[in-house]
Amino acid sequence: MLENQDKIATGNYLNTIKRVFVKRWWLIILITFTVSISAFVTSKIIEPVYEASTSIRVQSPVQFLGGTSSPLFGKTSLEPEAMWLRSRYLLELVMKYLGIGNINNKQEYIETMEKLVSNIKVQTFEGANTLILTVRWNDAEMVAKITNAIANTFIEKYQLFNSALSKDKRGYIEEQLNLTRIKLDEVQKNLSDFQKKEGVLSLDAEINEVTNRISMWQAKQYQIDMDIKIAQSRFNQLKNQMPQTQGGDGDELQSLFFKNNTALSTMQETVSRLEEEITSMSYKYTDEYAPLLIKKKKLEEIKGKFQAELSMAANKNKSYGNSQNKGFLLDIVQTEMEIEAKQNEQNLLSDLIIKEQVKIAALPEKQIRYIDILRENKVNEEQYTNLLKRLAQARIEENVDMWDVRVFDRAYQPFKPLKPRPVKNTIFGVIIGLVLGIGISMVFEYFDDSFHSIDEVEQFLGLPVLAAIPKMEK
């Protein structure tokens, strides 16, 4: 009984579908044709969008020389550079160069700027030190011009900024080199005068070892002090380069990185603590010491997470202003943390030197004076040698364009628009038209309460049909 009812229901359902196609085929075809033609015409009418892209390689001086970029982060993030590429400051220069936007109509100019900002995408590839710049625009020739103009303007301004930093660094090193040369000459004269008067005093092995350690640490302190001053100069330049925003100046905006961000504050404290522990251990053990290696590995992991969290904090908070400000702020925070790490290392060295100086405090005054002169002479010699090396490197960075920023895949004029695609849209139109046509036909059939067969009459009345009058064609 149930099987017969299922067969009847299935038969009725199939008959209904068949009747829909037979009776309302014209409606299905009409809707399909209308939708597909509409899709095709719309594709031809709407303004086309073209896409062009270029690749920019950014290699820092330390990467070129085979060193590490930052004692804190271990590698240079490209996120600030990506933000700079999308900055309105850079885009204003490009718009002026290409004559895009009506400068006399403020509303139109702002709308063009917003359109350009929304159609720019920058991807970063840290391992390859590469930025992929992609631009979409309504003109095939102009989209290639915009893409290349952004890349060229970025390279020009980026190199100009870093060149200014290199000049300041070179000038500071030259100044310190001259001062060290004068001081070294004075110390060597004092040593010569002392030896002429008192003769060459003999020192035992232990005192010699203590003197060498103090000399080495004081020379290291001097290098760290110079690193701090160079980093502070960069810190000040970054803040000066960053325009004022509604959120305040660089110092006020910088505090927003850690305000109400527990994860970021915790990671900052962890990084500072690990840096301090590693520095302390490095002066007591060799680089192969297992606990030291474990701490270094852990520090690298925390640095990566900290860098990602910093970028997220900059992107989420609107108080930082435009993307150029966000890039500067990332650099500011990283530079300040680098300064803090160096200051901690300097304090540690001061404590170590004080402990060693206690060991020679009980010696005769003549020996103490001799040790001080020897130590001062050795420190200044090491400082002078180190400054000569750093000056040579600074000159290379300044004159040989060590910030290797270049375009290695220039944008070309696209032959076909990214969208619309008439053929693809028409095919989708046919599919949607068919679905829509069948759906509408099924709705009409659902609301049609007339009888279409003897079976429907028998099912409705529950009585057998005794006779039927056939429909006669005239």
Side-chain angles (χ1 to χ4, degrees):
M1 180 74 177
L2 291 174
E3 290 181 3
N4 291 334
Q5 289 180 350
D6 290 340
K7 288 180 180 179
I8 292 171
T10 302
N12 290 338
Y13 179 70
L14 293 174
N15 287 333
T16 300
I17 295 177
K18 181 179 179 181
R19 187 166 56 250
V20 166
F21 279 98
V22 172
K23 186 178 179 181
R24 295 189 171 85
W25 60 269
W26 59 273
L27 180 61
I28 297 173
I29 292 177
L30 178 62
I31 293 175
T32 303
F33 179 78
T34 302
V35 174
S36 58
I37 290 298
S38 299
F40 179 79
V41 172
T42 302
S43 299
K44 290 294 185 180
I45 292 175
I46 63 174
E47 197 172 19
V49 176
Y50 296 88
E51 184 179 88
S53 62
T54 184
S55 303
I56 304 172
R57 184 170 181 269
V58 181
Q59 189 176 29
S60 67
V62 289
Q63 291 168 329
F64 188 88
L65 294 172
T68 55
S69 56
S70 165
L72 176 64
F73 290 96
K75 67 174 184 178
T76 301
S77 169
L78 293 178
E79 187 60 29
E81 284 79 2
M83 289 180 174
W84 204 351
L85 273 170
R86 297 189 296 264
S87 69
R88 284 170 174 77
Y89 163 75
L90 203 69
L91 297 183
E92 283 179 359
L93 297 175
V94 172
M95 289 173 65
K96 183 178 180 181
Y97 172 72
L98 296 176
I100 302 173
N102 185 2
I103 192 67
N104 298 320
N105 188 327
K106 187 175 181 181
Q107 182 64 28
E108 181 184 338
Y109 187 81
I110 292 175
E111 289 177 357
T112 305
M113 169 69 75
E114 294 301 324
K115 179 183 175 183
L116 188 56
V117 171
S118 63
N119 283 283
I120 291 178
K121 181 182 178 182
V122 182
Q123 293 177 282
T124 61
F125 295 89
E126 304 288 353
N129 302 316
T130 302
L131 298 164
I132 306 296
L133 170 66
T134 304
V135 180
R136 292 182 180 180
W137 204 249
N138 303 118
D139 182 87
E141 182 180 0
M142 184 56 70
V143 73
K145 289 182 178 179
I146 291 173
T147 307
N148 290 324
I150 292 174
N152 293 335
T153 305
F154 166 75
I155 291 173
E156 178 187 349
K157 297 300 177 183
Y158 190 78
Q159 289 180 334
L160 186 64
F161 175 71
N162 286 292
S163 176
L165 292 178
S166 297
K167 286 181 180 178
D168 287 348
K169 179 180 177 181
R170 188 257 304 160
Y172 175 73
I173 292 174
E174 285 180 343
E175 180 184 350
Q176 294 300 308
L177 185 65
N178 292 332
L179 292 174
T180 304
R181 177 71 264 181
I182 294 171
K183 193 173 182 180
L184 180 60
D185 290 341
E186 182 182 348
V187 171
Q188 288 180 342
K189 183 179 182 303
N190 291 340
L191 178 62
S192 176
D193 291 343
F194 184 91
Q195 289 176 340
K196 286 179 182 178
K197 183 178 179 181
E198 304 292 344
V200 179
L201 302 182
S202 60
L203 302 173
D204 60 40
E206 183 181 355
I207 296 300
N208 258 327
E209 188 177 341
V210 170
T211 303
N212 289 335
R213 280 201 297 269
I214 294 176
S215 300
M216 180 182 65
W217 290 339
Q218 285 183 330
K220 181 66 176 177
Q221 266 191 323
Y222 180 81
Q223 294 177 29
I224 292 172
D225 183 63
M226 193 164 64
D227 288 337
I228 290 173
K229 289 179 180 177
I230 291 173
Q232 285 173 336
S233 174
R234 173 177 171 79
F235 179 84
N236 294 330
Q237 281 204 16
L238 285 167
K239 288 204 299 182
N240 293 335
Q241 287 280 333
M242 187 178 68
Q244 295 285 328
T245 67
Q246 294 179 353
D249 60 18
D251 290 326
E252 293 171 349
L253 286 174
Q254 182 186 343
S255 65
L256 293 174
F257 272 107
F258 304 102
K259 187 177 181 181
N260 299 326
N261 193 327
T262 307
L264 199 58
S265 300
T266 302
M267 280 191 282
Q268 182 197 22
E269 293 172 1
T270 305
V271 168
S272 299
R273 178 176 54 79
L274 284 172
E275 284 281 358
E276 193 171 342
E277 291 176 1
I278 289 172
T279 302
S280 177
M281 293 175 71
S282 64
Y283 286 107
K284 297 178 182 179
Y285 308 102
T286 64
D287 292 338
E288 302 302 322
Y289 185 55
L292 180 61
L293 294 174
I294 293 172
K295 284 188 180 292
K296 285 183 177 180
K297 184 177 180 180
K298 185 178 180 180
L299 178 62
E300 290 302 317
E301 293 175 358
I302 297 294
K303 286 176 184 176
K305 293 178 182 178
F306 185 79
Q307 177 68 41
E309 192 70 25
L310 274 178
S311 299
M312 287 177 61
N315 289 323
K316 286 181 180 179
N317 199 315
K318 296 181 180 179
S319 302
Y320 304 145
N322 60 38
S323 56
Q324 184 189 15
N325 281 351
K326 294 174 183 178
F328 280 128
L329 280 166
L330 285 174
D331 270 350
I332 286 172
V333 172
Q334 293 178 11
T335 304
E336 188 178 43
M337 291 189 67
E338 178 184 343
I339 292 171
E340 183 182 351
K342 287 292 184 182
Q343 288 173 338
N344 290 337
E345 185 176 0
Q346 198 172 46
N347 294 335
L348 174 66
L349 284 171
S350 296
D351 293 340
L352 291 173
I353 290 171
I354 291 172
K355 291 178 182 178
E356 293 295 328
Q357 285 176 336
V358 172
K359 298 177 181 179
I360 60 176
L363 294 175
E365 183 179 349
K366 187 184 294 185
Q367 277 196 326
I368 293 176
R369 173 63 181 154
Y370 184 57
I371 289 171
D372 287 342
I373 295 175
L374 285 176
R375 175 178 47 77
E376 194 174 358
N377 181 66
K378 188 170 184 178
V379 169
N380 279 277
E381 284 180 345
E382 290 184 8
Q383 287 176 1
Y384 189 76
T385 303
N386 178 62
L387 283 169
L388 285 174
K389 292 178 181 178
R390 298 187 71 160
L391 179 60
Q393 180 175 328
R395 284 172 175 167
I396 292 174
E397 292 176 12
E398 180 183 356
N399 299 324
V400 189
D401 189 20
M402 294 299 292
W403 276 94
D404 185 18
V405 186
R406 67 180 70 184
V407 174
F408 63 87
D409 186 14
R410 190 162 294 279
Y412 294 97
Q413 180 178 333
F415 294 104
K416 295 180 181 180
L418 178 69
K419 57 182 180 180
R421 297 179 179 177
V423 176
K424 186 177 180 180
N425 291 346
T426 303
I427 293 173
F428 278 121
V430 171
I431 296 172
I432 293 172
L434 279 171
V435 174
L436 191 60
I438 294 172
I440 293 175
S441 298
M442 293 293 287
V443 171
F444 283 156
E445 185 65 24
Y446 177 79
F447 286 103
D448 185 0
D449 57 0
S450 61
F451 296 111
H452 299 91
S453 66
I454 294 174
D455 292 336
E456 289 181 3
V457 175
E458 289 179 341
Q459 189 176 7
F460 182 76
L461 296 175
L463 299 170
V465 175
L466 300 176
I469 302 174
K471 182 179 180 181
M472 302 296 292
E473 296 292 341
K474 292 183 178 181

